[in-house]
Amino acid sequence: MIASLFSKTRPINYALVLIMLFSCFFLYQIQVPNEAFTSGDLLSKIIVFLLLLLSFFLVNFISLKNTLTQNDNYAILLFLVFILLFPSVLNNIKIVLSNVFLLLALRRLISLKTLSSSKEKIFDASFWIFLSAIFHFWSILYIILVFISIIFHSGKEYKNWILPFVSFLCVWILYIATSLFLFGNYTINKAVFQVSFNFFDFKDVYQNMALSLFVSISVLFFASQTIDYQNKPLNMQSSYKQVYFAFLLAVGIYVFSANKSNDLLMYTFAPLAILGANMFEKMVNSIYKEVSIYLLLGFGLFFFFAQL
């Protein structure tokens, strides 16, 4: 029933996702120990929730507006499942905000296929990526996707190769100006450049289990859609390549980050949700599709409550 319900874009789908997100967000927040809860904490939690809503909107917009998925809502459903697997992301404002900036960048990069306002889109995408790096440094790896997109769509125009550096200077100037205005000085924490390759250093066994399950799902979605790449419409293949690279770069962010947590996997959620939606669209057997989605949702809810 869930698969058939989300097989079309319906208002009830958005309502269900919103209700589930709000319910899980509320349940998680009341479980987080906070002895000195202040109005600032409340404001922070409200901002996180609004950013999550914006994330769902962007995932839905990117997938449907650019016809990366058919007229369905599988992408936002899978995005919700991934959040359920790693509920600690509901309390990490920096990662959620950083990911929103990368989604805004991805939206601009995929729209380069229209070949209109290319310079503005390249500048905007680079600007969002460098803003994202302020909140989590290794998200700067996404700038590679900008140059990949330039190769795909507008590599012959030499000015396009310079625009990412112009964006960097703009963000750098804004960062210095804001730091001087708010704090009277600016510093760079060298710790953000550190790298760690310790992937399973989690005390909670359910975090390790959720990570293992997510890795398996990721391999399945990515491999199936890579194999199916040749069956994509020719005019859409470059867009799918961008999604593939977006996922790989998001994995790179997790790999290089020093202070690893499952929250960092949020960077992979959007591209993986789009790839997963494509896989479900290709399934002919409706029963298999229903069972698969029920299992994913069931696992998501199980690990959510197990990590409360």
Side-chain angles (χ1 to χ4, degrees):
M1 180 177 177
I2 294 180
S4 58
L5 183 63
F6 280 83
S7 63
K8 298 290 183 183
T9 53
R10 299 181 175 96
I12 190 174
N13 296 346
Y14 302 113
L16 287 173
V17 169
L18 176 60
I19 292 171
M20 288 189 65
L21 175 64
F22 178 78
S23 300
C24 294
F25 184 82
F26 178 77
L27 287 173
Y28 185 78
Q29 296 304 330
I30 63 176
Q31 294 295 323
V32 175
N34 196 333
E35 298 177 358
F37 190 81
T38 65
S39 57
D41 295 326
L42 178 61
L43 178 61
S44 175
K45 295 180 187 304
I46 292 174
I47 292 174
V48 170
F49 184 74
L50 293 176
L51 288 172
L52 286 169
L53 288 181
L54 179 57
S55 300
F56 275 91
F57 170 79
L58 288 170
V59 171
N60 193 62
F61 181 88
I62 292 170
S63 61
L64 295 179
K65 182 70 174 180
N66 297 287
T67 62
L68 291 169
T69 60
Q70 297 174 8
N71 191 29
D72 57 62
N73 291 132
Y74 289 136
I76 59 172
L77 178 61
L78 291 172
F79 193 79
L80 175 64
V81 169
F82 298 150
I83 290 177
L84 293 177
L85 287 174
F86 309 112
S88 58
V89 75
L90 298 173
N91 211 37
N92 196 329
I93 188 171
K94 286 187 176 181
I95 296 299
V96 175
L97 179 58
S98 175
N99 186 63
V100 165
F101 287 144
L102 292 190
L103 288 176
L104 289 169
L106 183 61
R107 180 183 72 88
R108 296 297 274 171
L109 291 175
I110 292 179
S111 67
L112 277 171
K113 68 179 181 181
T114 63
L115 300 180
S116 63
S117 305
S118 297
K119 292 180 176 59
E120 290 84 352
K121 293 174 181 177
I122 293 170
F123 178 86
D124 290 348
S126 303
F127 187 85
W128 291 126
I129 291 168
F130 290 124
L131 274 183
S132 175
I134 293 176
F135 297 94
H136 184 73
F137 172 75
W138 285 109
S139 62
I140 201 171
L141 289 176
Y142 241 70
I143 200 65
I144 298 174
L145 185 61
V146 174
F147 292 106
I148 291 173
S149 300
I150 292 173
I151 293 173
F152 288 161
H153 300 291
S154 52
K156 295 181 180 179
E157 180 60 57
Y158 76 92
K159 293 181 180 179
N160 292 336
W161 295 92
I162 302 174
L163 288 172
F165 300 99
V166 176
S167 291
F168 173 77
L169 288 176
C170 292
V171 173
W172 181 248
I173 291 171
L174 286 173
Y175 173 73
I176 293 176
T178 303
S179 298
L180 290 175
F181 177 76
L182 294 177
F183 309 110
N185 60 9
Y186 72 94
T187 58
I188 299 177
N189 186 0
K190 294 181 180 180
V192 300
F193 302 105
Q194 293 179 354
V195 177
S196 171
F197 299 105
N198 188 4
F199 300 104
F200 289 91
D201 188 25
F202 301 114
K203 296 180 180 179
D204 189 342
V205 64
Y206 292 109
Q207 291 184 12
N208 281 325
M209 291 173 63
L211 177 58
S212 300
L213 176 64
F214 182 77
V215 170
S216 301
I217 294 171
S218 301
V219 172
L220 174 63
F221 286 177
F222 185 80
S224 66
Q225 292 311 297
T226 302
I227 294 171
D228 191 58
Y229 169 74
Q230 296 298 330
N231 296 324
K232 307 292 185 186
L234 289 176
N235 64 332
M236 290 298 300
Q237 289 187 0
S238 61
S239 297
Y240 284 107
K241 284 181 181 179
Q242 288 173 298
V243 175
Y244 299 152
F245 280 112
F247 171 74
L248 293 175
L249 290 170
V251 172
I253 294 172
Y254 179 82
V255 169
F256 282 97
S257 296
N259 297 319
K260 282 187 174 50
S261 69
N262 286 341
D263 301 353
L264 295 171
L265 293 169
M266 188 177 193
Y267 295 115
T268 68
F269 290 178
L272 195 62
I274 293 172
L275 296 177
N278 275 261
M279 191 187 80
F280 282 115
E281 289 168 358
K282 293 288 185 179
M283 289 184 182
V284 178
N285 191 321
S286 60
I287 296 178
Y288 181 70
K289 184 187 300 186
E290 288 283 355
V291 172
S292 299
I293 292 181
Y294 271 113
L295 282 174
L296 284 175
L297 190 57
F299 277 124
L301 290 171
F302 170 78
F303 283 109
F304 173 79
F305 286 106
Q307 295 176 69
L308 287 181

